Amino acid sequence: MKNKTIAIHKGTLKDKKTGGVNTPIYTSSAYDYISRDETFYPRYFNTPNQNAVAKKIAALEHAEEGLVFSSGMGAMSTSILAFAGAGDHVVMLDALYGGTHHFATVWFSHFGIDCTFTKTSADDVINGVTSKTKVIVIESPTNPLLAVVDIEKIAQFAREKKITTIIDNTFASPVNQTPLDLGIDIVVHSGTKYLGGHSDLCCGMVACSNEKLDRILNLARVLGPSLDPRICYLLERSMKTLILRVNAQTKNAMEVARFLEFHPDIAAVYYPGLESFGGYEIAKRQMKGFGAMLSFEIKGKDPHRFIERLKIISPAVSLGGVESTICPPSLTSHAKMSPEERQRIGVSDSLLRLSIGLEDADDLKQDIDNALKKVPKY
Ligand SMILES: *Cc1c(COP(=O)(O)O)cnc(C)c1O
């Protein structure tokens, strides 16, 4: 089956009683223990609606198995803790999602886990590894500067050293990137973003081998970040249009990036699909499409006044929805960092992160152009 067909049909549990074509919502939290080998229970992550979406993500990510969580952080923290414990060392990118970064800096010591943060080049990541390293956590493209990480090089190195690799594949989505094909062990998603796609649900997903999943599942069952069947249903509904949505959003993003690249009020554009962008060559090799996230810096004008003057693109922190949203990382995802720390990682106060939706690209370009025109130069 090809991706579009998988997105629609994989995992669907047809309603045999009525012939309905959708997976019914199984609301029970108490199930018969006599008639089957495995008793269903929502916190066991094994109820019919959880299984339906887990099968879909597994197929889309070319994995043996999948798992759905109540949030992206639930998926990420459980996956890391399943493979790193007291005395172990973890290597992570500096540029990881804020919540993952916070989990490591504030909570790893509590679990006796040591951690090294590295820059995004494969050599930097590999140089961060010690004899105690058990897990490497990466993300590509990164937030908010869209740095592209050489996934295959890191995965290959880690395989030889028997280190478990985890990638946060939220930004690319399985439509644009399938890291298991590049040798990564575990793919994690914030399903709150593209998989949900309509800015109306929160969930996380994991896709990996049978063996890795058993371990993650065992820990998940006691930590308990399981997803409600009603939200599983919403997610299943959304994932059916994932391919169409993300392909169209990716196309829109390319158009907007090209428009920004030559706009006189724009100082820099960060988008893996631009030939002028540093990560372009690696992105072309490892991604099917360049994604629908981009960032840019405005030249000589107040970025916050610019945002206030946008009519279609909404100021909002999350991403991946059908509606375009924009936010300044200095005031949102990276607000907790000191200005010096932000400077060091290249997140300037004029940097804006744009999540491109499904609107008409011409309207998006015009919205940006109009808003820029209305803001006077400093
Ligand atoms: C939002 C996000 C997360 C966290 O997901 P939640 O669903 O909010 O827990 C993790 N990684 C990335 C890249 C994200 O954008």
Side-chain angles (χ1 to χ4, degrees):
M1 274 199 281
K2 297 261 170 44
N3 262 355
K4 280 185 199 163
T5 316
I6 288 172
I8 309 287
H9 292 290
K10 193 73 192 181
T12 306
L13 207 67
K14 291 204 173 119
D15 181 5
K16 291 212 181 76
K17 269 205 178 119
T18 65
V21 296
N22 290 314
T23 307
I25 303 176
Y26 292 85
T27 56
S28 294
S29 62
Y31 286 89
D32 179 1
Y33 66 90
I34 296 171
S35 64
R36 53 187 71 245
D37 301 337
E38 188 194 17
T39 305
F40 292 155
Y41 185 59
R43 188 179 36 81
Y44 290 171
F45 290 68
N46 64 356
T47 56
N49 293 95
Q50 290 168 320
N51 283 334
V53 283
K55 282 193 180 133
K56 217 189 270 297
I57 193 66
L60 289 169
E61 286 287 6
H62 307 159
E64 283 175 359
E65 286 204 60
L67 207 56
V68 66
F69 287 78
S70 56
S71 70
M73 278 313 299
M76 180 55 88
S77 54
T78 308
S79 298
I80 294 172
L81 290 180
F83 295 95
D88 294 338
H89 177 255
V90 175
V91 175
M92 283 190 171
L93 301 185
D94 245 344
L96 283 186
Y97 174 74
T100 312
H101 197 274
H102 182 87
F103 179 51
T105 51
V106 177
W107 286 98
F108 270 14
S109 61
H110 183 79
F111 295 101
I113 303 168
D114 195 19
C115 186
T116 300
F117 289 98
T118 75
K119 291 194 189 311
T120 52
S121 87
D123 288 337
D124 282 317
V125 172
I126 288 167
N127 285 335
V129 168
T130 73
S131 59
K132 298 202 159 151
T133 305
K134 287 284 164 58
V135 178
I136 296 176
V137 189
I138 61 171
E139 198 170 312
S140 184
T142 65
N143 177 34
L145 292 168
L146 288 306
V148 181
V149 180
D150 190 335
I151 298 171
E152 196 164 21
K153 190 165 176 191
I154 294 168
Q156 230 165 37
F157 171 85
R159 288 251 146 151
E160 281 162 22
K161 301 271 183 225
K162 300 203 179 343
I163 298 169
T164 301
T165 46
I166 302 177
I167 189 168
D168 185 330
N169 202 31
T170 302
F171 267 38
S173 93
V175 181
N176 285 322
Q177 181 169 280
T178 45
L180 298 185
D181 297 335
L182 302 167
I184 290 288
D185 293 315
I186 301 164
V187 167
V188 172
H189 281 282
S190 169
T192 315
K193 316 297 165 52
Y194 290 103
L195 303 178
H198 298 71
S199 309
D200 60 359
L201 64 83
C202 181
C203 74
M205 300 196 97
V206 163
C208 57
S209 67
N210 260 316
E211 190 197 339
K212 295 269 190 282
L213 195 114
D214 274 354
R215 208 173 153 82
I216 296 170
L217 176 60
N218 195 290
L219 180 61
R221 284 180 170 180
V222 287
L223 292 180
S226 55
L227 190 64
D228 183 273
R230 299 154 188 90
I231 308 298
C232 287
Y233 179 78
L234 262 188
L235 175 64
E236 187 179 343
R237 194 177 196 269
S238 290
M239 286 175 77
K240 291 182 186 183
T241 57
L242 176 73
I243 314 285
L244 290 180
R245 279 188 284 109
V246 174
N247 279 338
Q249 284 169 270
T250 299
K251 194 158 165 277
N252 269 357
M254 192 71 214
E255 270 204 50
V256 173
R258 287 222 187 284
F259 162 77
L260 290 171
E261 193 181 13
F262 299 110
H263 197 289
D265 289 337
I266 302 301
V269 185
Y270 303 87
Y271 183 64
L274 295 176
E275 290 87 347
S276 59
F277 186 70
Y280 174 75
E281 286 303 327
I282 302 177
K284 209 170 80 171
R285 202 168 67 222
Q286 69 189 19
M287 300 179 82
K288 292 186 206 79
F290 299 108
M293 295 300 299
L294 59 93
S295 291
F296 60 99
E297 281 166 46
I298 295 180
K299 189 158 53 186
K301 293 185 174 187
D302 184 336
H304 308 294
R305 292 179 73 182
F306 160 72
I307 288 181
E308 281 166 19
R309 279 156 186 77
L310 290 166
K311 294 266 197 293
I312 296 170
I313 303 170
S314 324
V317 179
S318 199
L319 60 105
V322 293
E323 57 288 290
S324 295
T325 56
I326 192 164
C327 70
S330 62
L331 296 185
T332 54
S333 55
H334 292 65
K336 283 205 188 97
M337 276 185 189
S338 68
E340 296 76 36
E341 181 74 355
R342 276 202 299 273
Q343 185 91 34
R344 193 179 65 75
I345 65 164
V347 176
S348 76
D349 289 349
S350 67
L351 184 76
L352 298 177
R353 189 193 74 187
L354 185 52
S355 167
I356 295 290
L358 275 177
E359 300 93 340
D360 192 288
D362 287 339
D363 289 333
L364 296 176
K365 289 188 277 187
Q366 192 150 56
D367 194 31
I368 293 169
D369 201 39
N370 288 343
L372 282 170
K373 283 201 179 98
K374 285 184 198 146
V375 183
K377 283 205 181 310
Y378 281 127

